[in-house]
């Protein structure tokens, strides 16, 4: 294969006129991290609520939680991204649709919402499993103390469940981080999109995607390390 390696390409000026190719990748990294963090806030909040609904004694609450999980978990993320970005503005009232289309940084907001709702279905499964893994005595103890159902979940069940499911939640956060790459299909200039733009401008495809791969690995290792420290500090004694 006749390929001209050029690792110094990262320090050459990019055609965009906003610095070097390395600056392009760092800009993409910023959008990747920002999108992942914002989406995770939505995913954790909604996922916690849906997970709780699936463990309540109410059949109606369980049906709502199950419907949410099955809907968002079984539709491919790429399809959901297209639905949020291209279809939703067309089915809303015209004024609302026009506002969405003209929204500054529309790909970013769309990616955050799409990833948030998609990841929430997976977080809900973890929360449900964590609550159901707790001994029945904990729920019964809350009732014996006179706590309401909401208070039992808030002060007894959820704090212990989150400790148990911290490792799988870490995995879901990493998946959420990597899934931001799907947003390049709607125009979000995240890390993968920037790497692709770099290889299109410079024709240095191996250098561009090697750098992107290494950046993803470093970020994931940092997340795993921090999560490991937190897990050891909040671990349930005796487990």
């Amino acid at each position: 294969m006749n390929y001209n390696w050029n690792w110094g390409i990262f320090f050459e000026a990019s055609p965009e006129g906003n610095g070097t190719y390395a600056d392009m990748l760092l800009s993409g990294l910023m959008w990747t991290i920002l999108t992942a963090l914002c989406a995770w806030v939505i995913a954790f909040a909604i996922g916690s609520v849906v997970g709780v609904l699936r463990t309540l004694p109410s059949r109606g609450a369980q049906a709502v939680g199950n419907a949410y999980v099955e809907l968002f978990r079984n539709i491919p993320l790429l399809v959901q991204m297209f639905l949020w970005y291209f279809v939703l503005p067309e089915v809303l009232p015209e004024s609302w649709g026009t506002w969405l289309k003209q929204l500054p940084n529309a790909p970013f907001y769309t990616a955050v919402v799409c990833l948030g709702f998609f990841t929430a279905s997976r977080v809900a499964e973890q929360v449900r499993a964590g609550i159901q893994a707790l001994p029945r005595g904990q729920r019964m103890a809350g009732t014996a103390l006179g706590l309401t159902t909401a208070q039992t979940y808030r002060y007894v069940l959820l704090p212990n469940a989150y400790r148990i499911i911290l490792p799988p939640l870490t995995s879901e956060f990493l998946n959420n981080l990597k899934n931001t790459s799907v947003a390049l299909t709607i125009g979000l200039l995240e890390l993968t999109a920037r790497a692709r733009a770099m290889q299109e401008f410079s024709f240095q495809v191996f250098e561009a995607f090697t750098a992107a791969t290494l950046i993803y690995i470093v970020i994931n290792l940092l997340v795993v390390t921090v999560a490991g420290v937190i897990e050891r500090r909040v671990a349930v004694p005796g487990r």
Side-chain angles (χ1 to χ4, degrees):
M1 182 176 64
N2 187 19
Y3 182 80
N4 296 319
W5 294 89
N6 180 17
W7 293 105
I9 187 67
F10 300 106
F11 305 104
E12 296 181 9
S14 71
E16 294 181 342
N18 296 322
T20 63
Y21 284 109
D23 294 327
M24 283 181 58
L25 294 179
L26 291 177
S27 173
L29 175 62
M30 180 197 70
W31 282 109
T32 292
I33 294 176
L34 184 61
T35 303
L37 291 177
C38 293
W40 182 251
V41 172
I42 296 175
F44 185 77
I46 297 179
S48 296
V49 173
V50 174
V52 168
L53 289 177
R54 301 187 71 194
T55 61
L56 291 174
S58 169
R59 290 184 178 270
Q62 292 181 17
V64 171
N66 291 335
Y68 180 94
V69 170
E70 296 304 323
L71 174 64
F72 285 94
R73 188 176 61 174
N74 292 320
I75 300 177
L77 177 58
L78 181 60
V79 175
Q80 293 188 39
M81 195 74 70
F82 284 159
L83 290 175
W84 281 103
Y85 190 71
F86 295 110
V87 178
L88 181 62
E90 302 301 330
V91 299
L92 291 175
E94 184 176 355
S95 59
W96 293 11
T98 302
W99 176 77
L100 283 177
K101 293 176 184 178
Q102 297 176 349
L103 192 67
N105 296 320
F108 166 72
Y109 295 114
T110 301
V112 166
V113 172
C114 178
L115 284 171
F117 278 72
F118 173 79
T119 308
S121 65
R122 304 178 64 85
V123 172
E125 276 290 274
Q126 306 297 345
V127 172
R128 178 196 61 81
I131 293 174
Q132 293 181 343
L134 296 174
R136 293 183 58 189
Q138 293 196 14
R139 188 190 297 266
M140 297 170 65
T143 303
L145 290 173
L147 300 179
T148 64
T149 300
Q151 290 173 329
T152 300
Y153 273 91
R154 178 180 178 182
Y155 297 111
V156 180
L157 300 180
L158 285 177
N160 289 322
Y162 285 138
R163 293 179 178 184
I164 295 174
I165 65 174
L166 183 57
L169 282 182
T170 302
S171 297
E172 294 301 339
F173 179 80
L174 294 178
N175 287 333
N176 177 65
L177 180 68
K178 290 177 286 188
N179 284 338
T180 57
S181 61
V182 178
L184 70 85
T185 58
I186 61 172
L188 181 64
L189 298 178
E190 44 71 57
L191 180 57
T192 302
R194 285 299 195 178
R196 189 173 69 170
M198 176 181 170
Q199 67 92 14
E200 290 175 350
F201 287 141
S202 66
F203 301 102
Q204 304 297 142
V205 57
F206 292 109
E207 290 86 343
F209 284 101
T210 297
T213 300
L214 292 175
I215 292 173
Y216 277 120
I217 291 175
V218 170
I219 295 299
N220 287 349
L221 289 177
L222 287 175
V223 172
V224 170
T225 301
V226 172
V229 173
I230 297 175
E231 181 183 352
R232 288 192 293 271
R233 292 191 175 185
V234 303
V236 178
R239 292 186 66 92

